[in-house]
Amino acid sequence: MSNFKPLTDLSVAKKESEIADYWDDNEILAKSIAIRDGKTPFVFYEGPPTANGKPGIHHVIARTLKDSVCRYKTMQGYQVKRKAGWDTHGLPVEIEVEKQLKLSNKQDIEAYGITEFNQKCRESVFSYEQQWREMTKRMGYSIDLDHPYVTLDNDYIESVWWILDQFFKQGLIYEGHKILPYCSRCGTGLASHEVAQGYKVIKSNTVVVKFKRKDAEEYFLVWTTTPWTLPSNVALTVNPQEVYLKVRQNEEIYYVSKTLSHKVLGEEFEVLEEIKGKDLEYVEYEQLMSFVKADKKAFFVTVGDYVTTEDGTGIVHTAPAFGEDDYNTGRRYNLPVLQPVDETGKFVTTPWQGSFVMDADLDIIKWLHGEGKLFKKEKMEHNYPHCWRCQTPLLYYAKPSWYIEVTKFKDKLVENNNRVEWYPDYVGEKRFGNWLENANDWALSRSRYWGTPLNIWRCGCGHTTSIGSRKELIENAVETLDQTTIELHRPFVDDIHIKCTKCGATMTRVKDVIDCWFDSGSMPFAQHHYPFENSENFDQLFPADFICEGIDQTRGWFYSLLVISTFVKGVAPYKRVLVNDLILDKDGHKMSKSKGNTVNPFELFDQYGADALRWYLLYVSPAWTPTKFDIEGLKEVQSKFFSTMRNVYAFFSLYANTDKLDPRTFFINYQDRPELDQWVLSKYNSLLKDVEMDLSVFDLTKAVRKIQEFVNEDLSNWYIRRSRRRFWGTELTDDKKAVYNTTYEILVGLAKLVAPFAPYISEELYRSLTDELSVHLADYPVANTQLIDSELETRMDLVRNLVGLGRAAREQVRIKVRQPVQQILIDGKYEQLIDYMLPLIQEELNVKAVVFAKDLSQYMNFSLKPNFKVAGSIFGPKVKSLGKALATLDAASVVLRLEAGETIALEVEGELLDLVKDYVITTIVAKEGFTMTVEDNLFVILDTTLTKELIDEGYAREYISKVQQMRKTNDYEMMDRIKIYFDGDEEIAQAVKLYEDYIKKETLADDIERINDASLEKQNLNGHETGLKLEKSS
RNA sequence: GGGGAAGUAACUCAGUUGGUAGAGUGGGGAUCUUAUAAAUAUCUGGUCGGUGGUUCGAGUCCAUCCUUCCCUACCA
């Protein structure tokens, strides 16, 4: 191949789609894994998205991170297997189907039929899968979609059962009550995100009630906002650390928190005793309402840290049936659960039998008043959750539920978490760490339909047992089952019974399914159908080296993975976790359908390209900060980075193809290449080093920003721009070979460098530049530190700064760069350093000579300031006085002496100090009368006197520029030869004559003719109106 | 209410161990071009959220308050 393909003009959408097809056709993912056979594995776990709902932009960011890291690690030489997964169970799926079928509660579902309902759930899941596949392919997320793990597969469920069986066998699964928000009208519990939607401010009656102490005529004062829960009271709870008062008021004796005593009792009361909360523990009292009988010991004081003294009385009414804290307290003290309310929210006993609990509040207050148990009542406004579907106030209900006793091995969780590397670290240490410290038991069961069935069977005799595999189920089943057709979902498993080993009776399965987070948390095992398959090589697939998900997974997947693996294997299932935050709209608001500020990723892919979107998301802010999505930023990335990359390639290929040159056929040794090449190679290799460092701590943002900076500033705007003439040369000199070598090497390197982040453009570039199959099979470039020359980089920076200053100086006096000037002066101390770079400065600034000024005082005034960093640590508080002392010195002479290495004695605060060069910073300011610019002690002085010669040359340069512009507007080819006609005054004509050869060479003109013709296009040459016309040579 | 993160130019963000605030975008007027719907330099622009403290010196460390976002929670 002697020809470098031009980049296609197809729309990004079309181009990227073609490349994606190319990857599929050539099985690039499979090959990238196959060629790393035997290499160190880098284990990655894909968090399964819920296949319920369309993929959005927030999915694109997480997957961009995952993909970039996996591609990077692959290119680094690791073997990175990537198995897709789908989370297919759970309430969100059920709700979706309920809506679709217009079912509004569980009764409806059961009437519709569980078989049919679950069939619909299964279909619903797969209807979204297609969109996810499309998005995955389109964004270039390289993952194996053809062999995914799916949580609804029998194999998957079997692995989950195996895990549950382990928990059960070790006695870590128990049945208890879970308090959950419950809509009594709909007859169903609500998930927390549903609860969050329905908060409303309501007014309710709050009461302070008197609970009589059993062994004395004394009363505990207790506040509640829900009088209807009082019949279920079984305990009072106080804070063990708080001080409580026993007081007398109006001949009655009360207990109340010291802090709140005035708020509750007013000012007039007599303090009888101060008691610490802890000392009230187990003090018994009489049941407030004796409508419900307790079957265990109850009605005594308990302690709990959650009790505060901000509201109420500091003594909390505790009804385990209706509150989470209450329920937990109940468990700690083994209290009974009194439940006089049925599933429709009505009292089944008590005088208020048949009425909805909240409607009974007033009657209950009347009853309390009548019994003399009411201390006071008041109305209060507060937030209360309502059912978002029917507006019924929700009740917090204790429902029987199965738990995993996480609290038993909480310490192990914390310990394992401490070994995980979190990016950023605070998510693991604080957010997740704190959460683990306070972890409660995991409520495992759900009284629903579409999920992994709980594998527990119960007998009438009270015996329970669990089943750990299909085989075990078949062997123990009363019914005859077929290994090949067995289906583990409801309702089929509900019909399977097993024989009780205790009493011989028939056991029935507990009807619940399990929390779908348990499904996804089991994936390290279940994705490989462990331990039924792959158990021999499991250690190679566990634990993950890397996972990456949104911050919302702290309580979700991160947690469920950790709990399950800690139990099963004793270690954390992941070594490194990269966490990403949300995507907000450009004003920093959360995207939501109701606000209408969401963005459709597919539209962005089509319009700007997946590469640009991926690059932008990485570029705009670090993964772990909320990303404000702004389309303008996306456009900027597209033009700044992607079009620059394409243009550099286009430039290179244009000349390589025109000259029929292939840089792979020759090689100039690095040390023989020009300074400019060595400089850009040094920059490039420094970049490789930096990128490797940033990526080692998953800071993709820094890496991407540095790459973009290099491409824009160093490669395009300096190296290529400065090297243009080297490409034009007709002879194949070593210099020309060098520029081709260098450009080619860097372009190929860049294609690889960029590949993990922008897989499409890198592929296009790489395949245009090489004969290889794919950039994603290549090795990631590694810095050649021998080519890094930081001193050279410094020198070039200096030159670039000087050039900038020179331009600024020209600007001051309005002499454009095309007008040559005689000379500039720069600081003599740089002579050694940049002597040989002078031609570069001359050309950039269009000056005839660069002069190093030796005696600066001729042009400059000096001032001296302390170098705080050095002097501050030595002189301490005296630096301020030092500053004043320095100001009094004759700066010009002091600078010379210090530069020469002399020490100067200086009196500061009556003490003599030895002043050396390091203690001061010299600043220079231009003296009046010089055209110069100064910045950071760098300066350029411009000699602005223009001789006749310079002015003529200026005309010539101007003349050339105009002709070149006209060539362009006339659409001439680059190599077309032309003839120039012009008219104009004598001054111009003379200059043209003088520089005729130069003009001809620059413009590829064979002939220049001065004519008189009014039809010529009028141009302004530095104030001289001149007509110009071009014509192609025949 | 609890936990976490953040607050720097009009906007998006850098700012390493404390050393006297920086880039891009935007806006203004210029320049340059045989790669660029481009580029180059330049001008414009800041009580580093507020207040205290430590220090010779604080965007950076400490305390406290304010604001925004996220997670979580009917704490009676």
Side-chain angles (χ1 to χ4, degrees):
Chain A
M1 183 182 79
S2 64
N3 212 359
F4 296 102
K5 275 173 263 170
L7 299 179
T8 53
D9 291 336
L10 293 175
S11 69
V12 269
K14 201 144 183 211
K15 186 161 44 192
E16 291 185 346
S17 295
E18 277 181 10
I19 295 174
D21 287 338
Y22 173 84
W23 290 334
D24 279 355
D25 295 344
N26 289 279
E27 297 179 321
I28 298 301
L29 172 62
K31 283 188 179 120
S32 81
I33 294 169
I35 58 169
R36 308 297 185 193
D37 247 341
K39 294 284 170 60
T40 314
F42 180 81
V43 180
F44 166 71
Y45 290 164
E46 159 81 345
T50 311
N52 179 66
K54 296 178 184 177
I57 184 103
H58 49 291
H59 297 110
V60 179
I61 176 73
R63 304 182 128 219
T64 297
L65 291 165
K66 292 178 190 180
D67 189 52
S68 298
V69 170
C70 287
R71 284 181 191 271
Y72 171 64
K73 285 290 167 184
T74 300
M75 290 178 80
Q76 273 197 320
Y78 295 92
Q79 188 181 40
V80 188
K81 292 180 178 164
R82 285 160 266 178
K83 194 180 182 70
W86 305 109
D87 192 6
T88 52
H89 285 148
L91 199 59
V93 181
E94 291 193 34
I95 287 174
E96 171 94 12
V97 171
E98 274 187 71
K99 260 192 237 163
Q100 190 190 319
L101 296 175
K102 302 201 165 44
L103 306 175
S104 57
N105 55 38
K106 285 161 73 173
Q107 286 76 36
D108 287 357
I109 294 171
E110 293 189 11
Y112 179 79
I114 298 175
T115 312
E116 292 75 14
F117 182 76
N118 276 358
Q119 183 54 36
K120 289 282 180 194
C121 287
R122 186 183 285 265
E123 286 163 14
S124 161
V125 164
F126 286 107
S127 73
Y128 284 108
E129 191 211 346
Q130 190 48 41
Q131 293 193 41
W132 277 87
R133 285 185 84 102
E134 226 172 274
M135 186 271 257
T136 305
K137 180 172 177 184
R138 186 64 190 81
M139 72 167 285
Y141 183 26
S142 186
I143 191 160
D144 183 3
L145 288 170
D146 296 328
H147 311 91
Y149 66 92
V150 184
T151 58
L152 58 72
D153 283 348
N154 272 338
D155 282 353
Y156 196 96
I157 292 173
E158 189 173 32
S159 287
V160 174
W161 273 20
W162 175 80
I163 295 167
L164 286 169
D165 191 44
Q166 308 290 305
F167 273 107
F168 191 86
K169 295 258 157 68
Q170 298 210 14
L172 290 172
I173 291 183
Y174 67 89
E175 190 178 19
H177 286 76
K178 181 179 159 60
I179 307 295
L180 79 171
Y182 180 85
C183 175
S184 53
R185 198 206 67 90
C186 303
T188 178
L190 271 74
S192 58
H193 67 269
E194 297 174 295
V195 175
Q197 286 181 46
Y199 276 94
K200 277 201 264 183
V201 177
I202 58 163
K203 258 189 192 163
S204 61
N205 288 298
T206 72
V207 291
V208 177
V209 183
K210 290 151 62 177
F211 282 78
K212 185 184 170 298
R213 186 169 168 154
K214 201 167 187 178
D215 52 3
E217 197 62 32
E218 297 165 1
Y219 298 91
F220 295 101
L221 292 182
V222 176
W223 181 62
T224 181
T225 57
T226 49
W228 61 267
T229 60
L230 287 169
S232 305
N233 173 279
V234 292
L236 300 177
T237 307
V238 299
N239 187 309
Q241 307 305 326
E242 284 293 326
V243 173
Y244 290 83
L245 298 181
K246 181 172 168 182
V247 306
R248 190 201 311 274
Q249 185 179 45
N250 302 331
E251 299 311 309
E252 298 247 23
I253 295 174
Y254 300 123
Y255 290 89
V256 67
S257 143
K258 186 178 180 183
T259 324
L260 288 160
S261 55
H262 291 286
K263 209 168 145 193
V264 177
L265 297 164
E267 297 308 316
E268 287 181 25
F269 57 85
E270 178 191 350
V271 178
L272 303 175
E273 196 181 345
E274 290 200 359
I275 310 156
K276 205 155 181 217
K278 183 89 184 84
D279 298 327
L280 287 169
E281 194 177 11
Y282 298 115
V283 172
E284 293 186 42
Y285 64 91
E286 289 177 2
Q287 186 178 12
L288 186 76
M289 300 176 180
S290 51
F291 304 123
V292 192
K293 294 279 169 276
D295 56 356
K296 291 190 215 168
K297 182 166 169 51
F299 314 122
F300 55 87
V301 176
T302 61
V303 300
D305 292 328
Y306 65 89
V307 176
T308 67
T309 51
E310 275 156 34
D311 298 305
T313 64
I315 305 173
V316 174
H317 145 61
T318 299
F322 300 111
E324 179 116 39
D325 285 332
D326 302 32
Y327 182 73
N328 291 334
T329 305
R331 267 186 64 74
R332 276 192 291 125
Y333 287 90
N334 193 25
L335 294 167
V337 175
L338 305 188
Q339 179 51 292
V341 181
D342 69 7
E343 299 224 326
T344 62
K346 291 176 180 146
F347 280 113
V348 289
T349 61
T350 78
W352 310 287
Q353 185 175 344
S355 55
F356 180 58
V357 289
M358 289 190 147
D359 298 335
D361 271 356
L362 269 179
D363 290 332
I364 293 171
I365 293 169
K366 274 182 200 156
W367 183 91
L368 288 168
H369 187 66
E371 296 282 316
K373 293 179 172 176
L374 183 67
F375 181 78
K376 69 174 171 184
K377 68 163 188 178
E378 55 192 10
K379 291 215 170 204
M380 198 184 90
E381 284 191 347
H382 61 132
N383 262 323
Y384 197 85
H386 292 68
C387 175
W388 59 280
R389 271 191 294 215
C390 66
Q391 306 308 323
T392 311
L394 299 179
L395 304 180
Y396 281 76
Y397 248 52
K399 292 206 59 176
S401 181
W402 292 81
Y403 286 83
I404 293 178
E405 204 164 6
V406 176
T407 43
K408 271 268 175 68
F409 54 105
K410 190 160 77 176
D411 294 348
K412 187 76 184 162
L413 294 179
V414 172
E415 189 190 323
N416 283 346
N417 178 49
N418 289 339
R419 297 218 180 90
V420 175
E421 290 172 38
W422 286 84
Y423 300 92
D425 53 12
Y426 58 80
V427 172
E429 281 166 25
K430 309 279 188 164
R431 199 169 174 144
F432 194 49
N434 290 348
W435 162 263
L436 288 177
E437 304 268 358
N438 301 316
N440 286 325
D441 288 346
W442 181 349
L444 180 67
S445 61
R446 298 284 183 272
S447 339
R448 298 294 309 189
Y449 309 96
W450 179 238
T452 299
L454 187 63
N455 54 341
I456 293 174
W457 271 256
R458 188 196 330 249
C459 178
C461 76
H463 179 59
T464 54
T465 190
S466 72
I467 293 292
S469 68
R470 273 177 279 197
K471 188 155 165 274
E472 191 184 346
L473 181 61
I474 290 164
E475 284 169 5
N476 288 284
V478 173
E479 295 82 4
T480 312
L481 300 172
D482 183 349
Q483 168 94 39
T484 53
T485 58
I486 191 167
E487 160 64 44
L488 298 181
H489 280 99
R490 292 191 71 186
F492 311 104
V493 277
D494 299 348
D495 297 336
I496 301 174
H497 299 85
I498 60 182
K499 190 164 245 179
C500 180
T501 50
K502 287 274 153 60
C503 70
T506 303
M507 302 177 90
T508 310
R509 197 187 71 83
V510 172
K511 288 281 182 289
D512 294 347
V513 297
I514 64 166
D515 182 5
C516 59
W517 286 111
F518 196 94
D519 287 356
S520 54
S522 303
M523 77 54 85
F525 311 96
Q527 69 169 338
H528 303 302
H529 195 205
Y530 180 86
F532 305 99
E533 291 175 63
N534 297 307
S535 57
E536 60 292 335
N537 60 352
F538 185 74
D539 289 345
Q540 290 196 346
L541 312 162
F542 180 94
D545 288 292
F546 171 74
I547 62 170
C548 166
E549 302 291 331
I551 183 123
D552 50 321
Q553 296 301 328
T554 340
R555 271 81 162 165
W557 199 50
F558 296 152
Y559 178 69
S560 61
L561 277 175
L562 182 67
V563 169
I564 291 168
S565 287
T566 297
F567 170 73
V568 177
K569 286 278 168 184
V571 295
Y574 36 73
K575 294 181 186 163
R576 295 172 201 85
V577 185
L578 174 59
V579 180
N580 64 277
D581 210 313
L582 290 176
I583 296 200
L584 309 169
D585 72 9
K586 74 187 180 75
D587 299 317
H589 297 122
K590 197 174 176 176
M591 287 186 178
S592 71
K593 276 178 207 154
S594 58
K595 277 189 205 146
N597 58 353
T598 51
V599 285
N600 179 344
F602 289 99
E603 284 171 15
L604 295 171
F605 292 151
D606 285 348
Q607 198 170 351
Y608 302 97
D611 270 350
L613 181 58
R614 290 170 60 126
W615 192 268
Y616 165 75
L617 288 173
L618 296 174
Y619 184 88
V620 66
S621 58
W624 42 79
T625 57
T627 295
K628 288 183 196 154
F629 185 86
D630 186 1
I631 200 97
E632 292 304 317
L634 181 55
K635 287 181 191 162
E636 190 185 321
V637 155
Q638 196 192 22
S639 81
K640 279 236 159 192
F641 183 69
F642 288 93
S643 73
T644 307
M645 282 276 279
R646 300 175 66 82
N647 277 317
V648 170
Y649 174 79
F651 177 84
F652 165 82
S653 59
L654 174 68
Y655 287 100
N657 290 339
T658 308
D659 284 353
K660 301 220 177 346
L661 269 183
D662 187 340
R664 284 167 292 185
T665 58
F666 48 79
F667 184 77
I668 302 291
N669 285 325
Y670 291 116
Q671 65 270 22
D672 298 329
R673 295 191 196 176
E675 188 89 352
L676 187 65
D677 292 43
Q678 291 186 16
W679 169 79
V680 77
L681 286 164
S682 175
K683 279 280 190 182
Y684 167 72
N685 282 287
S686 297
L687 173 71
L688 295 183
K689 224 170 78 178
D690 288 350
V691 166
E692 186 181 345
M693 221 172 63
D694 292 335
L695 292 183
S696 73
V697 292
F698 300 106
D699 197 335
L700 312 213
T701 301
K702 271 194 179 146
V704 154
R705 285 180 181 178
K706 279 174 189 161
I707 295 172
Q708 180 166 327
E709 162 115 2
F710 171 80
V711 168
N712 255 312
E713 295 302 320
D714 299 329
L715 182 64
S716 173
N717 290 338
W718 194 251
Y719 179 74
I720 297 289
R721 192 166 65 83
R722 287 299 322 145
S723 297
R724 276 177 299 185
R725 282 179 183 270
R726 300 165 65 192
F727 284 90
W728 305 339
T730 42
E731 278 171 59
L732 187 57
T733 58
D734 278 0
D735 180 69
K736 187 164 173 176
K737 283 181 183 171
V739 76
Y740 271 101
N741 277 152
T742 303
T743 309
Y744 180 80
E745 286 159 16
I746 289 183
L747 274 174
V748 173
L750 269 179
K752 292 189 276 193
L753 190 64
V754 163
F757 318 106
Y760 289 109
I761 191 173
S762 51
E763 185 74 308
E764 192 186 4
L765 284 177
Y766 190 72
R767 289 208 289 126
S768 302
L769 287 161
T770 72
D771 301 320
E772 305 291 326
L773 188 63
S774 169
V775 71
H776 301 294
L777 301 176
D779 289 336
Y780 209 64
V782 179
N784 178 351
T785 45
Q786 291 193 321
L787 296 183
I788 296 177
D789 181 346
S790 55
E791 201 196 308
L792 174 59
E793 290 184 26
T794 316
R795 285 201 299 260
M796 189 63 85
D797 285 344
L798 180 63
V799 169
R800 292 179 75 176
N801 284 334
L802 288 171
V803 168
L805 289 172
R807 290 224 183 86
R810 277 178 166 277
E811 181 127 350
Q812 274 179 30
V813 286
R814 303 264 157 190
I815 298 175
K816 57 171 86 167
V817 178
R818 249 190 319 256
Q819 173 63 58
V821 296
Q822 195 55 50
Q823 61 172 359
I824 59 165
L825 273 73
I826 59 183
D827 197 331
K829 75 176 166 194
Y830 299 123
E831 183 164 2
Q832 296 278 306
L833 210 53
I834 56 171
D835 196 19
Y836 56 94
M837 285 189 178
L838 291 187
L840 206 156
I841 299 178
Q842 286 177 11
E843 196 182 319
E844 275 292 310
L845 287 176
N846 196 14
V847 298
K848 296 294 167 199
V850 177
V851 177
F852 289 99
K854 294 280 186 289
D855 179 13
L856 301 186
S857 57
Q858 202 181 328
Y859 317 100
M860 301 290 174
N861 289 323
F862 297 88
S863 65
L864 298 172
K865 260 185 13 183
N867 181 344
F868 286 101
K869 189 167 185 173
V870 180
S873 58
I874 296 170
F875 300 119
K878 288 185 200 136
V879 275
K880 280 180 181 162
S881 313
L882 175 67
K884 283 176 197 155
L886 285 172
T888 63
L889 298 175
D890 171 23
S893 68
V894 170
V895 169
L896 281 178
R897 287 166 62 195
L898 287 176
E899 287 286 338
E902 279 185 52
T903 305
I904 293 172
L906 180 65
E907 194 183 309
V908 177
E909 292 183 19
E911 259 183 81
L912 272 185
L913 299 179
D914 289 332
L915 197 63
V916 298
K917 189 182 161 194
D918 290 347
Y919 297 169
V920 298
I921 289 174
T922 316
T923 38
I924 53 178
V925 185
K927 280 186 180 169
E928 288 290 314
F930 292 93
T931 300
M932 91 163 96
T933 44
V934 181
E935 196 182 284
D936 295 337
N937 277 358
L938 264 187
F939 67 92
V940 167
I941 300 173
L942 192 65
D943 183 345
T944 56
T945 45
L946 295 179
T947 61
K948 169 85 173 61
E949 223 180 354
L950 291 171
I951 291 172
D952 280 347
E953 192 182 336
Y955 289 140
R957 298 274 301 240
E958 196 72 17
Y959 189 94
I960 291 167
S961 164
K962 298 298 183 204
V963 171
Q964 302 291 27
Q965 279 175 32
M966 287 172 73
R967 280 183 70 108
K968 208 169 189 177
T969 46
N970 289 3
D971 270 342
Y972 290 175
E973 290 297 315
M974 194 177 79
M975 301 307 288
D976 286 342
R977 302 204 66 85
I978 57 167
K979 180 166 183 179
I980 306 173
Y981 299 97
F982 78 104
D983 69 2
D985 56 32
E986 278 308 310
E987 215 176 325
I988 296 294
Q990 266 183 28
V992 171
K993 183 104 193 122
L994 205 57
Y995 288 94
E996 186 169 349
D997 290 344
Y998 176 58
I999 294 171
K1000 279 182 177 168
K1001 186 169 147 250
E1002 288 292 312
T1003 60
L1004 298 186
D1006 293 323
D1007 201 13
I1008 301 178
E1009 192 176 329
R1010 188 176 180 205
I1011 58 168
N1012 251 327
D1013 187 341
S1015 73
L1016 297 188
E1017 194 177 322
K1018 295 280 179 283
Q1019 300 281 4
N1020 179 350
L1021 300 191
N1022 291 343
H1024 296 257
E1025 189 178 87
T1026 308
L1028 277 171
K1029 192 174 95 177
L1030 309 188
E1031 186 171 274
K1032 276 197 211 182
S1033 299
S1034 39

